[in-house]
Amino acid sequence: MEKDSQLSVMGGGLVGCLLSLYLARQGYSVDVYERRPDLRRAELAGGRSINLALSDRGWRALQNIGIAQDIKKVAIPMYRRVMHDLQGHLSYQPYGQEGQAIYSVSRNGLNQALLDLAEAQPNISLHFQQQVLDVEVATNKITLADVASGEQHQITPDVIFAADGAYSMVRLSLMKTDRFNYEQSYLNYGYKELTIPPGAEGAWQLEKNALHIWPRGQYMMIALPNLDGTFTCTLFFPFEGEPSFEALQTPGQVQAFFEKTFPDAAALMPDLTQEYFENPTGSLVTVKCFPWSHEGKILLVGDAAHAIVPFYGQGMNAGFEDCSVLSSLLEQHPGDWESIFKTFQEARKPNTDAIADLAVYNFIEMRDKVADPRFLLQKKIEAKITAQYPDSWLPLYSMVTFSPDLPYAEALANGRRQDEIMRHLMDHIQTEEDYSKPAVQAYLQNHLGK
Amino acid sequence: MEKDSQLSVMGGGLVGCLLSLYLARQGYSVDVYERRPDLRRAELAGGRSINLALSDRGWRALQNIGIAQDIKKVAIPMYRRVMHDLQGHLSYQPYGQEGQAIYSVSRNGLNQALLDLAEAQPNISLHFQQQVLDVEVATNKITLADVASGEQHQITPDVIFAADGAYSMVRLSLMKTDRFNYEQSYLNYGYKELTIPPGAEGAWQLEKNALHIWPRGQYMMIALPNLDGTFTCTLFFPFEGEPSFEALQTPGQVQAFFEKTFPDAAALMPDLTQEYFENPTGSLVTVKCFPWSHEGKILLVGDAAHAIVPFYGQGMNAGFEDCSVLSSLLEQHPGDWESIFKTFQEARKPNTDAIADLAVYNFIEMRDKVADPRFLLQKKIEAKITAQYPDSWLPLYSMVTFSPDLPYAEALANGRRQDEIMRHLMDHIQTEEDYSKPAVQAYLQNHLGK
């Protein structure tokens, strides 16, 4: 069953590949255009977004097309946050209930697996090193340049799916149409990727099944495990001020700063200063826009529609969720692209706005609050409430990460209600044992009991 | 005294012309590039932004270069708002104190006068029909196309001043640089310009020295006087819904709607339906961005840096104020563009953000609140407070409109404080006479007395 419409997906990254698989499965013939070379064959530049955290929304989207099990084999479950203080002392915070985890996966490994799957589909054609130069919104005519030869050619697909990322060229063309709302906002923080190599016999040098955080108030470093025994560390750090990327100018300054600020990590980073000066400093942008579609002929998806900062680990998951939501709308209104796109953007926009705001907020939680004993006590109390009132209480992190049926916007709204309750409750609580105090129990019964 | 730097001003509109005059006065040689033909010689397309309201910030900027008196001759003072209800009954609200007015001026007339002044300067060169195709931020190389011949050529000015409006091409290039924060947001309202022609012997058919408003809750029409006896009416109206531009499809529907909704105006508009369908429907955008400058080589000014909706009548005034602020910084740091631009953007940004938000808010006031007797009573009470406590109270509108020494952001902050006081005060006030009640006087003495 091959359908008539000629569909083009711009961007062969994670979302572009997954979307093309969803479209192909519904019988459409799909061309995928990607600016970069085929990363299964190309030399990789390091230092940017080497690994990602897959959680339940992402898994569901992979399950729908039957590839979750394969990916899980190369993913490392992380069951908890491990916080490292200035003396290298550790504290812990589980992500969810027993057995619940987020999964560290390699961006490139996942992208390669999705490219393999796409290539194996007879109705998907992959085109690499194709750079979008121009998109004529009125006619859907796209001018592409072959990066290798410089030759230009044009395509005019019936429908364009723009999965071309946070700096989408397709979106740039939509921006010039009337009444296109758009916002790009940067944090005053950049990021730098660094490595903790494996120890003796390839062993992980920190607890493997955890996400590590060095919270330092105004900034932080994190580390995620890789299959090869390394950890990818990411320093989130102010661009300017004291301390900042601008302020650390020499290898000596960097080494001294790390030894003082992240002593246990610095001891495990033999190539620290070389990596610090070789790897690029990334910036952190949130992109919001609306509408995401143009007349049933163009649709923005993933980061092109809603790029977010990485602090909730939801960027890829939200993009993958776009694919499953879109796919079920396509089953309901086959071929009626205008209805599909309108329904899609109306349904998705409040949710991606919510996760964008949550992601910015979570930076504060990770860099600052997780170092606060009161905050960790509150998390423990929340876990107790969840155990006692499982039908009416779930921590916000769990709603976002482990409840793929719950839209992000509802998770955020529930989280705000729960925050109010916690604010009152924590006035009565100094220790974990205070949870059993009659005043605490009465308050909870009053607000959460049936 | 001709200075070395080669300056280019992109855009020969109101702000571009005024800025070039300021720069030329300081001894710089300036090229002005404008996409449109010379509007002193061209046939004008009607239906968009025919007149504007000049107020004290704008006048000050014109005074500085000695042209305020000439412009005042072709400006019509408007001393008050005149509200028209559904029966054509009128009510009134003065803009300020006795003698204070905002001035209706013709956009084209003002632009022509500024072009004449610029052309008379030996160190200003005007270049019309020059369309910016590309700006290379790293090198300041601009590719221009001659609109008439299609020929392309390039310029590389030392400093680029982008006065190319809300849809600035220069800004589009800055947008692709790292960490450029940008937002364009549209109201769900459009606007349509219509005309009330002169009556017998060229007389104005409504009170001449006033801004007329037909407030209708969710939408409104306004009218400003022109020198030729006409009024330019602008309907601000939802794009979709009931009623809306989308809903009014036929001349009959438009005529019936106007006769029911704006009966006294409709009776004065013989060409209503023709104009309604011939004139374009404009959209209403707010643009915020930051930074406005790039390395002392590019600066955004006016709408290119901060486009706002028209409801406070401050868009042009804010752009003109940019010119006077910039000029005094240039006197302090001659030739040190990087310092000038950094200081300029840091100083101006909070103020243009404030006026952007005030402009959106004022739409609600104009379309809805001015029809509310309680609101008009509050304005009268505020006038009494100003009279009694002239050193500590000035209505927000006056601070924005008639106090050019007060930055917009401070006006907004003062306005919010005063709002708090008015909220308390109005609980005790049912009539103008209640102003003398002891409770009211005590409250004021307590908050405003020295």
Side-chain angles (χ1 to χ4, degrees):
Chain A
M1 178 190 76
E2 186 131 329
K3 292 184 180 162
D4 270 353
S5 301
Q6 191 58 39
L7 312 185
S8 287
V9 173
M10 312 312 291
L14 299 171
V15 171
C17 285
L18 187 64
L19 179 61
S20 70
L21 287 166
Y22 269 98
L23 294 169
R25 200 183 54 159
Q26 299 222 9
Y28 289 98
S29 165
V30 185
D31 286 286
V32 179
Y33 295 91
E34 167 58 43
R35 184 175 48 80
R36 293 164 302 176
D38 186 342
L39 55 78
R40 295 166 300 177
R41 288 166 195 100
E43 194 69 30
L44 293 173
R48 268 189 200 267
S49 298
I50 286 174
N51 49 15
L52 298 161
L54 248 173
S55 57
D56 287 27
R57 293 168 205 270
W59 286 119
R60 165 177 290 190
L62 295 174
Q63 266 155 16
N64 287 343
I65 51 165
I67 58 170
Q69 283 317 309
D70 283 343
I71 304 296
K72 213 156 221 168
K73 285 179 201 146
V74 293
I76 300 176
M78 300 181 288
Y79 296 100
R80 57 182 185 174
R81 288 173 173 164
V82 175
M83 277 72 74
H84 298 240
D85 77 7
L86 275 170
Q87 285 73 44
H89 298 145
L90 308 183
S91 55
Y92 306 92
Q93 187 199 336
Y95 273 123
Q97 297 178 349
E98 183 86 30
Q100 285 185 322
I102 60 176
Y103 290 77
S104 175
V105 293
S106 146
R107 172 189 281 274
N108 282 323
L110 182 53
N111 206 340
Q112 285 170 8
L114 291 168
L115 284 168
D116 283 341
L117 288 161
E119 195 156 65
Q121 295 294 319
N123 50 349
I124 297 180
S125 308
L126 302 178
H127 311 271
F128 293 99
Q129 295 190 279
Q130 300 297 311
Q131 181 177 12
V132 174
L133 298 182
D134 185 59
V135 181
E136 211 178 273
V137 173
T139 60
N140 260 30
K141 188 163 74 184
I142 299 179
T143 304
L144 293 158
D146 185 286
V147 175
S149 70
E151 268 173 44
Q152 296 188 12
H153 65 116
Q154 297 183 322
I155 57 170
T156 310
D158 296 315
V159 184
I160 299 168
F161 293 90
D164 52 346
Y167 299 96
S168 168
M169 280 296 292
V170 180
R171 190 186 62 221
L172 198 64
S173 299
L174 285 184
M175 244 192 74
K176 297 172 197 166
T177 62
D178 195 28
R179 294 172 69 202
F180 185 76
N181 291 297
Y182 178 75
E183 180 181 2
Q184 62 184 38
S185 57
Y186 286 85
L187 296 185
N188 292 325
Y189 289 80
Y191 70 90
K192 175 85 76 181
E193 291 199 349
L194 302 165
T195 313
I196 293 179
E201 294 172 25
W204 286 271
Q205 299 206 67
L206 303 171
E207 177 179 326
K208 175 188 172 190
N209 290 113
L211 189 149
H212 295 264
I213 312 183
W214 289 258
R216 295 296 179 265
Q218 289 304 302
Y219 55 94
M220 68 174 175
M221 186 167 72
I222 64 169
L224 278 77
N226 300 308
L227 283 177
D228 62 2
T230 60
F231 280 86
T232 303
C233 304
T234 312
L235 172 68
F236 295 98
F237 206 44
F239 278 110
E240 288 103 22
E242 192 59 55
S244 71
F245 284 116
E246 194 184 59
L248 296 182
Q249 287 289 345
T250 67
Q253 287 170 335
V254 169
Q255 189 67 41
F257 178 76
F258 271 72
E259 282 175 9
K260 181 171 150 236
T261 316
F262 312 116
D264 56 338
L268 304 173
M269 301 167 104
D271 302 326
L272 167 63
T273 57
Q274 189 188 339
E275 285 193 324
Y276 185 95
F277 289 102
E278 276 179 5
N279 286 348
T281 304
S283 49
L284 297 160
V285 70
T286 301
V287 173
K288 293 179 179 176
C289 64
F290 203 79
W292 294 350
S293 69
H294 184 79
E295 292 178 0
K297 296 200 298 181
I298 298 178
L299 180 71
L300 307 176
V301 293
D303 283 0
H306 47 74
I308 64 178
V309 294
F311 305 109
Y312 228 111
Q314 287 294 315
M316 168 184 59
N317 291 288
F320 281 7
E321 196 176 48
D322 283 355
C323 298
S324 27
V325 171
L326 198 53
S327 173
S328 57
L329 288 171
L330 186 47
E331 282 169 19
Q332 291 162 43
H333 314 277
D336 181 1
W337 298 110
E338 190 150 2
S339 300
I340 292 167
F341 293 175
K342 285 225 153 103
T343 312
F344 177 74
Q345 70 190 10
E346 296 290 340
R348 284 300 279 163
K349 173 71 171 158
N351 293 318
T352 58
D353 280 354
I355 193 62
D357 296 345
L358 282 168
V360 170
Y361 166 77
N362 221 41
F363 183 31
I364 302 166
E365 176 166 321
M366 290 177 77
R367 74 180 196 230
D368 199 0
K369 290 200 188 174
V370 293
D372 175 359
R374 284 288 293 171
F375 176 79
L376 295 178
L377 174 61
Q378 177 170 332
K379 292 288 163 185
K380 284 182 188 159
I381 298 295
E382 273 204 77
K384 288 175 188 285
I385 303 176
T386 304
Q388 191 177 352
Y389 297 97
D391 294 338
S392 38
W393 191 284
L394 201 58
L396 175 58
Y397 188 88
S398 294
M399 291 190 277
V400 169
T401 308
F402 304 123
S403 308
D405 288 329
L406 190 70
Y408 287 127
E410 288 181 38
L412 176 58
N414 293 346
R416 286 187 173 143
R417 269 197 304 276
Q418 293 179 178
D419 260 2
E420 270 311 303
I421 293 177
M422 289 309 293
R423 244 193 300 277
H424 282 92
L425 213 57
M426 290 302 289
D427 287 344
H428 302 279
I429 291 181
Q430 301 308 321
T431 67
E432 250 185 285
E433 289 67 44
D434 287 345
Y435 182 69
S436 347
K437 279 164 64 175
V440 170
Q441 287 296 317
Y443 187 85
L444 286 173
Q445 181 59 29
N446 199 16
H447 283 81
L448 304 176
K450 285 282 134 58
Chain B
M1 180 191 74
E2 184 132 328
K3 292 186 184 164
D4 270 352
S5 301
Q6 190 58 39
L7 312 185
S8 287
V9 173
M10 312 313 292
L14 300 171
V15 171
C17 285
L18 186 64
L19 179 61
S20 70
L21 287 165
Y22 269 97
L23 294 170
R25 199 183 55 158
Q26 300 222 7
Y28 289 97
S29 163
V30 185
D31 287 287
V32 179
Y33 296 90
E34 167 58 44
R35 184 174 48 79
R36 293 164 302 179
D38 187 342
L39 54 76
R40 295 167 299 177
R41 290 167 194 99
E43 193 69 30
L44 294 173
R48 269 189 200 266
S49 298
I50 286 173
N51 49 14
L52 298 161
L54 246 174
S55 58
D56 288 25
R57 291 168 208 270
W59 285 120
R60 163 176 292 190
L62 295 174
Q63 267 155 14
N64 288 343
I65 52 167
I67 58 172
Q69 284 315 312
D70 283 344
I71 304 296
K72 211 156 222 170
K73 285 178 200 147
V74 293
I76 301 176
M78 301 182 287
Y79 297 100
R80 57 181 185 174
R81 289 172 173 165
V82 176
M83 278 72 74
H84 298 241
D85 78 7
L86 275 169
Q87 284 74 45
H89 299 145
L90 306 183
S91 54
Y92 306 92
Q93 185 198 335
Y95 274 122
Q97 297 180 349
E98 184 86 30
Q100 285 185 320
I102 59 176
Y103 290 77
S104 175
V105 294
S106 146
R107 171 188 283 274
N108 283 322
L110 182 53
N111 206 341
Q112 285 168 10
L114 291 168
L115 284 169
D116 283 341
L117 288 161
E119 196 156 63
Q121 295 294 319
N123 49 350
I124 298 180
S125 308
L126 303 176
H127 311 270
F128 294 98
Q129 296 190 276
Q130 300 297 310
Q131 181 177 11
V132 174
L133 298 182
D134 185 59
V135 182
E136 210 177 273
V137 172
T139 60
N140 260 29
K141 188 164 75 184
I142 299 180
T143 305
L144 293 158
D146 186 287
V147 175
S149 69
E151 267 173 47
Q152 297 187 11
H153 64 116
Q154 298 182 320
I155 58 171
T156 310
D158 295 316
V159 184
I160 300 168
F161 293 90
D164 53 344
Y167 299 97
S168 168
M169 279 296 291
V170 180
R171 190 185 62 221
L172 198 62
S173 299
L174 286 184
M175 242 192 75
K176 297 173 197 166
T177 61
D178 195 28
R179 297 172 65 200
F180 185 76
N181 291 297
Y182 178 74
E183 179 179 3
Q184 61 183 36
S185 57
Y186 287 85
L187 296 185
N188 293 323
Y189 289 78
Y191 70 91
K192 175 86 74 180
E193 291 200 350
L194 302 164
T195 312
I196 293 178
E201 295 172 25
W204 286 270
Q205 300 206 68
L206 303 171
E207 177 179 324
K208 175 189 172 189
N209 292 110
L211 188 150
H212 296 263
I213 311 183
W214 290 258
R216 295 297 179 263
Q218 288 304 301
Y219 55 93
M220 68 173 176
M221 186 165 72
I222 66 170
L224 276 78
N226 300 308
L227 283 177
D228 62 2
T230 60
F231 281 87
T232 303
C233 305
T234 311
L235 172 67
F236 295 96
F237 206 44
F239 278 109
E240 288 102 22
E242 191 60 54
S244 71
F245 284 116
E246 193 185 61
L248 296 182
Q249 287 290 343
T250 67
Q253 287 169 335
V254 169
Q255 191 67 41
F257 177 78
F258 271 73
E259 283 174 7
K260 181 171 150 237
T261 315
F262 311 116
D264 55 340
L268 303 174
M269 300 166 106
D271 302 324
L272 167 63
T273 57
Q274 189 188 337
E275 285 192 323
Y276 185 94
F277 290 102
E278 277 180 4
N279 286 348
T281 304
S283 49
L284 296 160
V285 71
T286 300
V287 173
K288 293 180 179 174
C289 64
F290 202 80
W292 293 350
S293 70
H294 185 79
E295 291 179 357
K297 297 199 299 181
I298 300 178
L299 180 71
L300 307 176
V301 294
D303 283 0
H306 48 74
I308 64 179
V309 295
F311 306 107
Y312 227 111
Q314 286 295 315
M316 169 184 57
N317 290 289
F320 281 6
E321 196 177 48
D322 282 353
C323 298
S324 28
V325 171
L326 198 52
S327 174
S328 57
L329 287 173
L330 187 47
E331 282 168 21
Q332 291 163 42
H333 314 276
D336 180 2
W337 298 110
E338 189 149 2
S339 299
I340 293 167
F341 293 175
K342 283 225 155 103
T343 313
F344 177 73
Q345 69 191 12
E346 296 291 339
R348 284 300 278 165
K349 173 70 173 160
N351 294 319
T352 58
D353 280 354
I355 194 60
D357 296 343
L358 282 167
V360 170
Y361 166 78
N362 221 41
F363 183 31
I364 301 166
E365 174 164 323
M366 290 177 78
R367 75 181 194 228
D368 197 2
K369 290 200 188 176
V370 294
D372 174 0
R374 284 287 292 171
F375 176 81
L376 296 177
L377 174 61
Q378 177 172 330
K379 292 286 165 188
K380 285 181 188 158
I381 298 296
E382 273 204 76
K384 288 176 187 285
I385 302 176
T386 305
Q388 190 175 352
Y389 296 98
D391 294 337
S392 39
W393 190 283
L394 201 58
L396 175 58
Y397 189 89
S398 294
M399 291 190 277
V400 169
T401 308
F402 305 122
S403 307
D405 287 330
L406 191 68
Y408 287 127
E410 287 180 40
L412 176 57
N414 293 347
R416 286 188 173 143
R417 268 195 305 276
Q418 293 180 178
D419 261 3
E420 270 311 302
I421 294 176
M422 289 311 291
R423 242 192 301 277
H424 282 92
L425 212 58
M426 291 302 289
D427 287 345
H428 303 278
I429 292 181
Q430 300 308 321
T431 68
E432 246 182 289
E433 289 68 42
D434 287 345
Y435 182 71
S436 352
K437 277 163 65 174
V440 169
Q441 286 297 316
Y443 186 86
L444 285 172
Q445 180 58 30
N446 200 14
H447 283 80
L448 304 176
K450 286 281 132 57

